[in-house]
Amino acid sequence: MGKAVARPVDLERHAARRLQIIDAGLTVFSERGYDGATTARICQQAGIGSGTFFHYFATKADLLVAILELGTDEVRERAAGLADRTDPVGVLLELVGSTAEDAADPRIPGFVRAVAGVMDEPRIAEALAVDDAAQRDVLRQWVERGQSAGEVRTDVPAERIVSWLLLLTGGFLERVAVDERFDPTVENGLLVATARNLLRGG
Amino acid sequence: MGKAVARPVDLERHAARRLQIIDAGLTVFSERGYDGATTARICQQAGIGSGTFFHYFATKADLLVAILELGTDEVRERAAGLADRTDPVGVLLELVGSTAEDAADPRIPGFVRAVAGVMDEPRIAEALAVDDAAQRDVLRQWVERGQSAGEVRTDVPAERIVSWLLLLTGGFLERVAVDERFDPTVENGLLVATARNLLRGG
DNA sequence: GAGTTCTTGGAGCGGTTGCTCGGATAATGG
DNA sequence: CCATTATCCGAGCAACCGCTCCAAGAACTC
C-alpha cells in the first residue's frame, strides 16, 4: 500500500520558508495595501519565484489569513502569560500599553490600515472577526474581575468598556499610521492615562 | 472666432448627475472597498453606462478625490457655522459629537475604513492629507483658545491634544464599522465624556 | 427644420494580476 | 548509484478591469 518515501518533508525547513514568506507579506502589505501588494512583489521581497509562493500558500488571501492567525496566537500567548496576576486594572493597562509597543514596528500600524478595507474573501473577514473576538475575550475577563473588585466602574457594562479599550488602541494604531509626528513611544503615557480614566469613570 | 454654441452646458443638470455618481460611489466604496468597487458596479449602482461615468470623472481615482473634497468642504462649513461662539470646550465637544452623528449613516464609517488603505494614487493621499489638515486647523484653533481661557490643560501642547481628539473620532468610526453592537447613538455620551476628560487632564 | 454640441450607452481594447504547469534540481532512502 | 519525491523556478494563461471610442439620440440656437 504505502510506497517508500524517498524524501520526507522537512517540517523545520517548511516552517522557516513559510515564516520567510509571511514576513515578506507583512512588509509589502503594510506599504502597498492588500490589492497593491501583487504576488510578484511579495515574491521579490521574499527572494523566491511565484511557483514557490503558491507551493506554500494556495492563495494570496491565504497568506493574509496566516498573518492574521499569527497575530491572534500572539494575543492569546500574551494573555496566558498574565493569567496569575491579581491586579485587574494593572493587567488591563499593561495590555493597552502593549499596543503602543507593537506600534513601534512601523509595519504593524501600516498593516492594520491596509487590511481594514479588504472585503473580498469571507475567510479574511472571518479571520478578522476571530482576532477581534480573541482580544475581547481577554479584555472582558479582566474588566469583569476589576468590576467585582470595585476597581472598575460598573455603570457601563463590561462589553462596552471592552469596546472602548479597543477603540483607544485602534485609534492609536491609526494615528501612528497616518500622522508621522505622532510618536508612539511619546504618546504611550497619554494612552495609559486615558485608559485609566475610562476604567475609573466619572 | 467663437463658434455659435448650439447647446450650452446645463450646469444644474451636470452637477446633479455628478452628485448621483458620487452618491453611488460612496455606497459601493463603503461596501466593497476601493479596489473591490469596480467601475462597472458603480455604474450599475448609479444606473448609467461606463461611457457616462468617464464623461463626468476622468478616472476612478478622481471620483474618490471628489468624495473626499466634499467631506473636506463639509468640515469647513461646519467650522464656519461655529465661528462666533465663545465657549471653546463646548465647541470642541460639539465637533467631536458631530462625528458620532455622521456615523449614523452606515456608509460613512464603511467608507473611511475602505479608503484608509489606498496607496495607489498620490493625488488620493494628498486629498486625505488636506482633509486631515482641515480638521486639524479647526480643532487647533479652539484648543488654543481653550488653553488661553484656562479651560483646557496646558501640560500637553495643542497639536498633541488635536491628535488625540482625532484619535478618539477615528477610533469611534472604526468601531462602528467593525462592531455591529457598537451603536453610535448610544456611545455618543461616552465619546463626549472621554473627550472632556482628555481636555481637562489630570 | 437645419445645424451644432452635449449627453449617453456599451462593445471592446490594452494592460495587469492571480495563479497554473511542466521541467530542472536537490535531497533522501534503499 | 538508482529511484523517488520534495522543492523551486518562471514562462505563460485565463480572467478581469479601467478606460477608450464611436455612433445614436436629445437639447438647444437660429
Side-chain angles (χ1 to χ4, degrees), chain B residues 102-131:
Chain B
D102 289 348
D105 180 352
R107 294 183 305 172
I108 303 297
F111 178 75
V112 308
R113 179 171 62 140
V115 158
V118 182
M119 328 268 205
D120 304 27
E121 306 270 337
R123 306 180 50 242
I124 294 175
E126 195 189 307
L128 283 168
V130 169
D131 190 72

Side-chain angles (χ1 to χ4, degrees), chain A residues 69-87:
Chain A
E69 284 174 348
L70 216 63
T72 304
D73 290 346
E74 221 163 293
V75 168
R76 291 191 175 126
E77 284 169 20
R78 195 175 290 169
L82 268 45
D84 53 359
R85 291 273 292 266
T86 57
D87 52 333

Side-chain angles (χ1 to χ4, degrees), chain B residues 12 26 31 36 199:
Chain B
E12 233 174 289
L26 183 61
E31 39 188 43
L199 293 171

Side-chain angles (χ1 to χ4, degrees), chain B residues 79-180:
Chain B
L82 267 46
D84 52 0
R85 290 273 293 267
T86 57
D87 52 332
V89 171
V91 169
L92 286 169
L93 296 182
E94 215 162 291
L95 286 170
V96 169
S98 66
T99 315
E101 290 168 20
D102 289 348
D105 180 352
R107 294 183 305 172
I108 303 297
F111 178 75
V112 308
R113 179 171 62 140
V115 158
V118 182
M119 328 268 205
D120 304 27
E121 306 270 337
R123 306 180 50 242
I124 294 175
E126 195 189 307
L128 283 168
V130 169
D131 190 72
D132 201 63
Q135 292 192 49
R136 293 194 83 95
D137 278 352
V138 175
L139 292 173
R140 195 189 55 244
Q141 186 180 355
W142 289 105
V143 168
E144 284 172 352
R145 289 192 203 179
Q147 286 178 324
S148 300
E151 297 178 24
V152 175
R153 69 198 295 179
T154 53
D155 62 325
V156 176
E159 287 283 4
R160 282 182 61 200
I161 294 183
V162 169
S163 289
W164 274 86
L165 291 174
L166 290 175
L167 183 155
L168 287 180
T169 56
F172 193 90
L173 286 176
E174 184 207 359
R175 270 296 115 191
V176 175
V178 165
D179 190 348
E180 297 175 351

